[in-house]
Amino acid sequence: MSYRLLKPLMNRFALLSACLLLGACSATYIENTQLQSYDTNAGYRFPEPGQTTQANSDSLYICLAFSGGGTRAAAFSYGILEKLRNTPITWKGKKSRLLDEVDCISGISGGSFTAAYYGLYRDRIFEDYRARFLERDVQHELFMSALNPLNWPRLASPKFNRIDLATELYDDTIFDHQTFENLIQKQAKPYIILHATNLASGERFEFTQDEFDLLGSDLAKLPVARAVTASSAFPFLLSPVTLINHPEPDNFKVPKDIQNGLASYAGDRRQWHWAVRQHDYLDKAAKPYVHLMDGGLSDNIGIRALENSFRWGAIRRGINNNRIEKLIILVVNAKTDDQDSISHNSTPPELPDVAYKTTTIALDNYSFESIETIRDLNKQRKQTQETLAVCNNRLKTCGGDEFPELSGKIDPVVIDLNFENIQDPQQRKHLLNLPTSFALPKEAVQQLIDAGAELLDTSTDFQSLLKELNSSPGN
C-alpha cells in the first residue's frame, strides 16, 4: 500500500489512539458527594408513621421484601406487584388497591431493580418494565460492553472498573439518570430500601440518608442506578462499588439510635452489635473508603432492615403510638433449588464450583433463619401482650396495682412466598431450577410473573388476610 493511501489510515489510528488515551486519563468511578450540613429532617429517610399526608393509611402498614436472584427475582417480584395492583380491598370503609397501601419495599440484588423502578415510576412499571429490563439479555450487554475496544483504556484505569460499566448501562437504559433526589421529591410511599454488603465487615449497607450521614455524604446526589449496581454486584463477576467516607459536617451528632445501641450491651446484644458497626464509619482514618458488593451476601431476602425497624426503629414507634394497627410483611423469596451435584462425584469440586457454593449456600440458610427470626419476634410480642393481660386480670381480682400494658397491641402477619409452594410438581421444579442470571427467555419471565399471582391466590394466609381486611371495623 502506498504512503498516500496509508496516511489517512495512520491519521485515523493516531486520532483513535489519542481518544483512547484521553479516555483512560479521564476514566473515574462515580463519587458520592460530601454532605454540607447535617439535618435529620432532610434526605431520603425511613418516614415515621404519621409523617406523610397522602391517602395511604398508616393504620394498615404493609412492607414487601424482594429477594436477590437475578432476573428471576426481578420478574417474580414484578408479578407480586401486578397481583397487588389487581387486588381490591376495603379498609375501614375506604376502598383501594392493596398495592396502594404498601408502605415500604426492601430490595436486594435482582429484587432491587423492581423495587427501585416502582419507587421511581409507580404504575408506569406495568407499561414498560418488561421491555426495559425483564425481557432483555442484560448479561450479554454487560459482556459486550466490556469487550468494546473503546472501553478498554477506561477499564485499564485504577479508578474505573466493570462495575462502572454496569452503572452506566443501568443509568442509560433503565433508570434515566434519576437520583435519590427524585425519590425525595415524590414525598410519597412506598419507601424504598436498597441494600448492599460492606465487603470489609460483611454487614448490611442501606442506601438511606441515615447511613450516608455516617459517611458525611449526600445520598440525594447519587444515581439510583449506582445503588442498584452495588446491590447486584455478585462476587467474581463484578467488582465492588466504592464510596468515599467523607468527614462529617461540623454540626453532626451521633444519632440517638446508635447512642442507645452502644449503651445496650447487657440488654440487647443485637442492637449493640449493630450500633458498633455503624459507629465504625465515623473513624475516617481507619476507613477512608467503603467497598460494597451484592446485598445478598449479608441478607438475600431483604428482611433484616424490616426486622431492625420492628425491633427498635420507625415501625416499632408506629406500633407503640398506635398509628400502626395491622402490620403485614410479604417476603418475595426467589430462592433456588439446592442443585447439589458435587456430592455425586468422588473428586473434589473445581474452583468455580467452590466459589459459587461458598457464596450462595450460607445465603439460603441465613434467609431461612431471617424469616423465622421475624416470625419469632411476632410470637414474642403477642405472648408478652397475652401474659400482661392475664397478670392484670389476676391483679384486678386481688386489688393490686396493674402492670402498664404493652403500647400498641398488634398481631403482625408474615407471609413467605416462594416457589416451593407451587402446587404443580413439574412447574415447581422448573421455577426452582431457573438460573439466577440477568438473562431469561420471555417464556420464563412470563412464568415467573404468573407464579406471583398463583402463590397469592393459593396462599391460605394471604386469603385469610384479605377476608380480615375487608371485614375490618368501619367497612
Side-chain angles (χ1 to χ4, degrees):
M1 183 180 293
S2 69
Y3 176 76
R4 182 176 62 83
L5 296 176
L6 187 60
K7 184 177 179 180
L9 295 177
M10 293 174 62
N11 289 340
R12 291 177 186 176
F13 179 77
L15 180 61
L16 177 60
S17 299
C19 291
L20 293 176
L21 288 172
L22 287 173
C25 294
S26 62
T28 182
Y29 59 81
I30 298 172
E31 294 186 353
N32 49 303
T33 306
Q34 187 168 3
L35 187 64
Q36 300 302 312
S37 181
Y38 176 61
D39 183 358
T40 56
N41 295 316
Y44 197 61
R45 305 176 190 273
F46 205 125
E48 296 288 330
Q51 277 187 343
T52 58
T53 57
Q54 65 187 72
N56 179 300
S57 169
D58 280 328
S59 59
L60 175 58
Y61 206 88
I62 303 175
C63 290
L64 310 179
F66 291 166
S67 80
T71 298
R72 59 181 275 136
F76 183 30
S77 55
Y78 171 84
I80 296 296
L81 290 180
E82 197 173 68
K83 180 62 177 179
L84 296 181
R85 177 197 61 175
N86 298 332
T87 303
I89 64 164
T90 303
W91 172 253
K92 294 190 172 182
K94 178 191 169 185
K95 295 181 179 180
S96 65
R97 308 178 305 176
L98 193 54
L99 181 59
D100 296 329
E101 288 292 342
V102 173
D103 295 88
C104 61
I105 303 177
S106 176
I108 296 286
S109 194
S112 70
F113 284 86
T114 307
Y117 203 88
Y118 182 70
L120 287 169
Y121 303 116
R122 298 300 195 270
D123 275 17
R124 176 180 146 184
I125 194 173
F126 304 116
E127 301 172 5
D128 60 9
Y129 183 60
R130 294 174 63 150
R132 298 194 76 185
F133 178 65
L134 295 181
E135 296 174 352
R136 283 171 54 193
D137 190 344
V138 174
Q139 195 160 289
H140 177 73
E141 293 177 36
L142 287 171
F143 180 72
M144 295 306 297
S145 179
L147 289 183
N148 186 342
L150 293 176
N151 286 326
W152 294 349
R154 295 202 296 163
L155 291 171
S157 167
K159 290 190 174 183
F160 195 88
N161 218 314
R162 299 186 309 277
I163 199 73
D164 301 294
L165 291 178
T167 297
E168 288 182 354
L169 179 66
Y170 304 156
D171 208 19
D172 291 341
T173 65
I174 302 173
F175 297 108
D176 305 317
H177 306 282
Q178 301 279 291
T179 66
F180 278 85
E181 179 65 37
N182 296 101
L183 288 172
I184 295 170
Q185 290 174 352
K186 289 184 179 298
Q187 295 184 338
K189 299 176 183 178
Y191 179 71
I192 307 299
I193 313 172
L194 304 179
H195 303 259
T197 299
N198 184 330
L199 193 57
S201 65
E203 291 291 311
R204 290 184 304 105
F205 183 93
E206 299 174 10
F207 283 85
T208 66
Q209 188 55 51
D210 293 299
E211 195 90 58
F212 269 60
D213 284 341
L214 305 176
L215 304 185
S217 185
D218 185 1
L219 177 62
K221 304 295 189 298
L222 192 78
V224 172
R226 192 62 167 172
V228 172
T229 307
S231 183
S232 57
F234 192 78
F236 312 110
L237 299 180
L238 291 171
S239 48
V241 164
T242 298
L243 298 178
I244 301 172
N245 193 0
H246 294 285
E248 58 267 19
D250 293 337
N251 66 331
F252 175 81
K253 296 180 181 179
V254 178
K256 288 184 178 180
D257 286 348
I258 295 180
Q259 293 182 39
N260 294 338
L262 292 174
S264 67
Y265 182 84
D268 190 337
R269 198 72 61 86
R270 284 190 181 94
Q271 188 177 8
W272 174 83
H273 184 271
W274 168 82
V276 168
R277 292 301 189 187
Q278 294 293 99
H279 195 266
D280 282 348
Y281 288 118
L282 301 179
D283 188 351
K284 311 297 178 177
K287 294 178 172 59
Y289 298 96
V290 178
H291 303 287
L292 304 174
M293 293 216 74
D294 196 305
L297 298 176
S298 53
D299 175 15
N300 200 38
I301 52 175
I303 203 171
R304 290 287 173 171
L306 306 181
E307 177 194 335
N308 283 1
S309 186
F310 183 67
R311 283 183 185 276
W312 55 72
I315 292 177
R316 180 187 181 96
R317 291 188 288 271
I319 293 171
N320 288 345
N321 63 24
N322 295 308
R323 288 190 177 276
I324 297 177
E325 300 175 21
K326 189 68 180 178
L327 174 62
I328 302 164
I329 298 177
L330 292 181
V331 182
V332 186
N333 186 1
K335 71 183 294 291
T336 61
D337 194 5
D338 181 32
Q339 298 181 17
D340 180 13
S341 58
I342 62 176
S343 298
H344 296 281
N345 299 319
S346 60
T347 56
E350 298 294 331
L351 182 60
D353 291 326
V354 173
Y356 178 78
K357 280 293 183 181
T358 54
T359 306
T360 59
I361 194 169
L363 297 184
D364 289 338
N365 296 335
Y366 188 62
S367 297
F368 171 78
E369 291 299 331
S370 296
I371 295 172
E372 293 307 306
T373 295
I374 202 163
R375 282 179 170 157
D376 289 343
L377 281 173
N378 296 342
K379 293 176 184 177
Q380 290 168 14
R381 186 178 182 98
K382 188 174 181 180
Q383 288 171 355
T384 302
Q385 292 171 172
E386 292 172 349
T387 301
L388 281 172
V390 171
C391 289
N392 284 333
N393 285 334
R394 291 184 178 179
L395 286 170
K396 283 180 183 179
T397 62
C398 299
D401 294 332
E402 296 180 30
F403 292 110
E405 290 191 4
L406 189 66
S407 298
K409 292 183 179 180
I410 193 170
D411 184 11
V413 176
V414 180
I415 301 176
D416 179 21
L417 303 169
N418 65 76
F419 302 133
E420 291 177 345
N421 294 323
I422 293 290
Q423 296 179 347
D424 180 77
Q426 290 186 337
Q427 182 190 9
R428 179 171 63 247
K429 182 178 180 180
H430 171 68
L431 293 174
L432 283 169
N433 286 279
L434 284 174
T436 56
S437 64
F438 282 107
L440 288 176
K442 289 184 178 181
E443 297 77 14
V445 169
Q446 185 62 56
Q447 290 167 349
L448 289 160
I449 293 171
D450 293 341
E454 178 183 339
L455 285 169
L456 286 174
D457 282 336
T458 57
S459 168
T460 55
D461 288 339
F462 184 72
Q463 295 305 316
S464 297
L465 173 66
L466 290 182
K467 291 180 181 178
E468 180 185 349
L469 296 180
N470 288 316
S471 60
S472 62
N475 285 355

